[in-house]
Amino acid sequence: MHPKLLLLCACLSLAKGLDQLRYDNYRLYKVQIKDVQQSQLLDDNEKDLKLSSWREARHPGDYSDFMLPPQSQDAFEDLLKKHNFSYSIKIDNVQRLIDAQRPKQRTSQMEWTQFHTLDEIYAWLDVIEARYPHIVTPFTIGNSYEDRPIRGIKISYKPGNSAVFIESNIHAREWITSATITYFIDELLVPRNPAVRDIAQNVDWYIIPVLNVDGFVHSHEVERLWRKSRLPSDPTGECIGTDLNRNFDYRWMMIGASDDPCSETYAGPFAESDPEINQLTSYINNSIPEGTIKIYISLHSYGQYVLSPWGHTADEFPEHYPQMMAVAKGFSDALVRRYGTVFTYGSSATTLYAVSGSGKEWAYAVKNITIPYTIELRDKGELGFLLPPEDIIPVAREVTEGFVGMITAAREVDVL
């Protein structure tokens, strides 16, 4: 998502005896933004109130989600009442939901009943690479700023297939993305129905389960709602991290990104400044034959969207926009048909918000990949980034169904 969050390090308290930062009695508010003046008022009070945006209103009359610490809540509610905002409290204690995400007893086996750590995901990749050596080809695009390997796998049943490339967990706190994509990997390796077997055998899949490895580890071990990378953003070391989905080298820093190193949408000092993005684009440029990738997916949460280019303008549409919409409809219709889950689709700028320097924009404009998407998984804001472990399998099953619909639709418009 595109939140303009402030760093929370200064306002979070360390749990006694633990390294993990806590969000005890933090609240998440749903606030209707009626006009530009109301939006500007909240922007002006963002720092004083320690306002953390999980979701931005798309247009006047839409709703934003804001998280606040206990010491700011009375002043925030007074401000809302004084200026006639409509609001409600969606989550009264953020820490309660975080605690519910952490199992009382961990299992290292990949069972999709808990949110797994990077080490657990990598141990599972070792297992499937050894178990399916003729299908699974491991790759590493390079190492992160903190020197962790960024691993992926290629799943291919036969030569000559066109490919789908998926990067997941580019934003650290979006745990449902890596949980979903590892489930989907398992489905591709052991297909449980003919439709999944078809897309497994007749399409190659390049998948990076966790792209932002440093941020992901930080979100598990220290700060659950961490979003960015861990590369220091300024010489003082006060601000940490780049929004990796604003760091790609296409219309970098044009719109929907920040040049403030402390902002959650900080795009970095220059395009591809962070090793995660530099190495991702280098891998695609140098290790995958040109023209092989037909679909590029950046997997995110939350909101239930399938978003295509353009992100930088709502006044123009890409040449292949009709095909993009046809394939997005195939994904969306498959979920509605079987599960009743509604995904909205359209260009980023017209459907959600303006953004530049993102993966899907680079994939289309630089690499000529016909179908590039940002897919925002569940939910629509009730729990946001804090879905319980019980939701992993339902989300993953419906996304698997969506990918079947997506491939079917891509074939119908001659993309695959």
Side-chain angles (χ1 to χ4, degrees), residues 5-11 223 226 228 238-240 261-262 264:
L5 278 88
L6 297 171
L7 272 160
L8 296 172
C9 295
C11 60
E223 189 171 351
W226 187 261
K228 299 192 289 181
E238 177 186 356
C239 301
I240 302 293
C262 290
E264 289 286 355

Side-chain angles (χ1 to χ4, degrees), residues 22-260:
R22 294 188 62 85
Y23 299 77
D24 291 298
N25 299 314
Y26 276 63
R27 285 178 172 174
L28 185 69
Y29 291 82
K30 179 180 181 180
V31 181
Q32 187 178 34
I33 310 299
K34 297 176 182 176
D35 51 40
V36 174
Q37 288 76 22
Q38 285 193 340
S39 179
Q40 187 60 52
L41 179 66
L42 294 178
D43 286 346
D44 293 342
N45 286 273
E46 186 177 22
K47 290 187 178 180
D48 289 343
L49 292 174
K50 299 179 176 63
L51 205 61
S52 171
S53 173
W54 285 21
R55 177 189 186 273
E56 277 198 351
R58 295 170 294 166
H59 50 74
D62 196 16
Y63 291 84
S64 292
D65 294 342
F66 297 105
M67 184 180 72
L68 284 91
Q71 63 269 27
S72 299
Q73 291 164 11
D74 287 345
F76 181 61
E77 291 183 18
D78 288 344
L79 180 73
L80 296 180
K81 292 171 184 174
K82 180 179 178 181
H83 294 277
N84 298 314
F85 284 85
S86 297
Y87 74 93
S88 61
I89 298 170
K90 299 176 73 170
I91 300 173
D92 62 358
N93 184 355
V94 169
Q95 186 62 43
R96 177 177 54 82
L97 296 182
I98 293 173
D99 291 342
Q101 286 194 313
R102 302 187 187 279
K104 293 180 175 63
Q105 288 187 321
R106 295 200 68 84
T107 173
S108 59
Q109 296 181 339
M110 193 69 83
E111 294 181 346
W112 296 281
T113 57
Q114 67 185 33
F115 289 102
H116 287 282
T117 66
L118 184 70
D119 286 345
E120 290 165 351
I121 291 171
Y122 279 4
W124 179 70
L125 290 182
D126 291 337
V127 169
I128 63 173
E129 289 161 10
R131 186 175 294 165
Y132 306 101
H134 302 299
I135 300 170
V136 174
T137 303
F139 64 86
T140 301
I141 65 170
N143 282 18
S144 66
Y145 168 71
E146 293 179 346
D147 205 33
R148 293 182 177 89
I150 305 169
R151 295 175 58 181
I153 59 169
K154 176 188 177 184
I155 298 175
S156 179
Y157 282 77
K158 64 182 185 340
N161 287 338
S162 296
V164 175
F165 192 100
I166 302 175
E167 40 97 345
S168 172
N169 247 132
I170 194 171
H171 290 151
R173 64 191 176 188
E174 297 168 8
W175 288 3
I176 192 62
T177 62
S178 52
T180 294
I181 206 61
T182 50
Y183 179 96
F184 179 65
I185 289 170
D186 189 64
E187 285 285 302
L188 293 176
L189 297 176
V190 189
R192 293 168 174 82
N193 68 62
V196 176
R197 185 176 303 112
D198 171 45
I199 68 169
Q201 294 178 349
N202 295 303
V203 179
D204 287 353
W205 298 84
Y206 291 85
I207 299 174
I208 299 176
V210 181
L211 180 59
N212 183 4
V213 290
D214 293 345
F216 186 68
V217 169
H218 189 76
S219 73
H220 273 270
E221 296 182 353
V222 181
E223 189 171 351
R224 172 62 188 90
L225 292 171
W226 187 261
R227 169 184 169 94
K228 299 192 289 181
S229 70
R230 295 296 298 165
L231 180 71
S233 305
D234 64 54
T236 68
E238 177 186 356
C239 301
I240 302 293
T242 300
D243 182 343
L244 297 178
N245 203 39
R246 305 293 186 275
N247 194 234
F248 287 83
D249 193 8
Y250 181 71
R251 299 187 182 270
W252 175 80
M253 268 297 298
M254 178 179 173
I255 193 170
S258 175
D259 60 2
D260 177 1

